[in-house]
Amino acid sequence: MALRAAVFDFDGVIVDSEPLHYRSLRDALRPEGVEISQEEYLQVYLAHDDRGAIRKALEHHGESADPARMDRIEARKIEIFARLIPEIPVFEGARDLVRALEEEMPLAIASGARHDEVDAILRGVGLRDAFETIVGVEDAERTKPDPAPFLEAARRIAARTPGLAPADCVAFEDSMPGIVSALGAGMKVVGVAHSYPAEKLRAAHRVVDSLVGLDAGTLRGLFLS
């Protein structure tokens, strides 16, 4: 396969931040009288951006989701999560894969998280320099499962890599809506079973249990086999 660029989802693929997103969303909702469990977060809210998760949580619990209330909860969630950033671990194999791929091709992030949040975490774990561009939730016209985030990432890479098409990109995703988004963009997709069992990710072209041992050569082998 032509493998000219790689686009990574962020939370759940490179960093294990979902437990902290759960904690910050839970603690942001509590003053509103809404209590969510970790199981509920994983099943209902994980693949959504902050605002989408807040709206769904309020509606799921029969609460009003008026804009002012959502603004208040979102600001609280952002503040809580910012305090947790130093606790975020990098998934095993992610650092090695990113460093191996950056030697051969441009890399991008396509995430449902806020741009500055992704940027801050990447800087904190020493990986910001590896990525040519970050597409956060505010950088694309629509959010996953729409293909817009991955298409925007490919567009930005193509601005510096003439002739690059989404079909030349491999995407790494850990959620079903994310896989749908990357497939809709026309990319080859690797499902990474960090957040969900491998069988839930079968829509991806290939599924791996982790990023350990992957590099450009093994990726090409995955798609040729």
Side-chain angles (χ1 to χ4, degrees):
M1 62 168 288
L3 179 57
R4 301 180 60 199
V7 185
F8 289 80
D9 178 39
F10 189 61
D11 301 313
V13 172
I14 294 177
V15 294
D16 190 11
S17 52
E18 292 299 354
L20 304 187
H21 277 292
Y22 159 64
R23 283 166 53 187
S24 55
L25 180 63
R26 178 198 65 191
D27 293 352
L29 287 166
R30 275 178 172 167
E32 308 294 324
V34 175
E35 186 74 31
I36 64 170
S37 68
Q38 188 166 17
E39 181 180 8
E40 180 182 342
Y41 174 82
L42 292 173
Q43 291 182 351
V44 183
Y45 312 127
L46 182 148
H48 295 276
D49 59 49
D50 283 352
R51 202 160 183 87
I54 291 164
R55 180 184 294 107
K56 279 189 168 292
L58 292 172
E59 292 173 351
H60 187 73
H61 288 265
E63 297 282 338
S64 168
D66 66 86
R69 189 182 198 188
M70 290 180 60
D71 288 345
R72 182 172 67 244
I73 298 170
E74 184 177 20
R76 192 182 297 138
K77 196 267 185 185
I78 290 169
E79 180 183 354
I80 295 168
F81 186 82
R83 297 199 299 267
L84 297 175
I85 284 178
E87 300 182 30
I88 296 174
V90 177
F91 276 108
E92 187 178 5
R95 190 183 300 275
D96 289 342
L97 175 60
V98 167
R99 289 304 183 193
L101 291 182
E102 72 164 327
E103 295 180 0
E104 299 195 32
M105 65 190 72
L107 309 182
I109 297 287
S111 174
R114 293 167 52 245
H115 185 115
D116 60 347
E117 198 171 83
V118 176
D119 188 277
I121 296 170
L122 283 174
R123 292 183 189 280
V125 301
L127 288 175
R128 179 61 185 91
D129 62 299
F131 291 92
E132 187 170 296
T133 189
I134 295 170
V135 176
V137 66
E138 65 272 56
D139 298 320
E141 292 183 359
R142 291 169 295 279
T143 58
K144 302 173 187 178
D146 191 278
F150 283 99
L151 289 173
E152 177 62 16
R155 185 193 68 78
R156 293 184 181 191
I157 295 172
R160 298 186 184 181
T161 308
L164 181 129
D168 300 324
C169 302
V170 59
F172 296 88
E173 264 290 353
D174 72 309
S175 74
M176 294 74 80
I179 289 171
V180 170
S181 175
L183 289 172
M187 296 184 181
K188 295 293 185 184
V189 186
V190 176
V192 186
H194 285 161
S195 305
Y196 295 99
E199 56 266 23
K200 288 186 175 291
L201 308 179
R202 294 300 177 193
H205 294 98
R206 295 290 184 271
V207 179
V208 296
D209 291 328
S210 78
L211 301 178
V212 174
L214 293 182
D215 56 24
T218 56
L219 286 171
R220 291 187 178 100
L222 282 177
F223 290 108
L224 289 174
S225 60

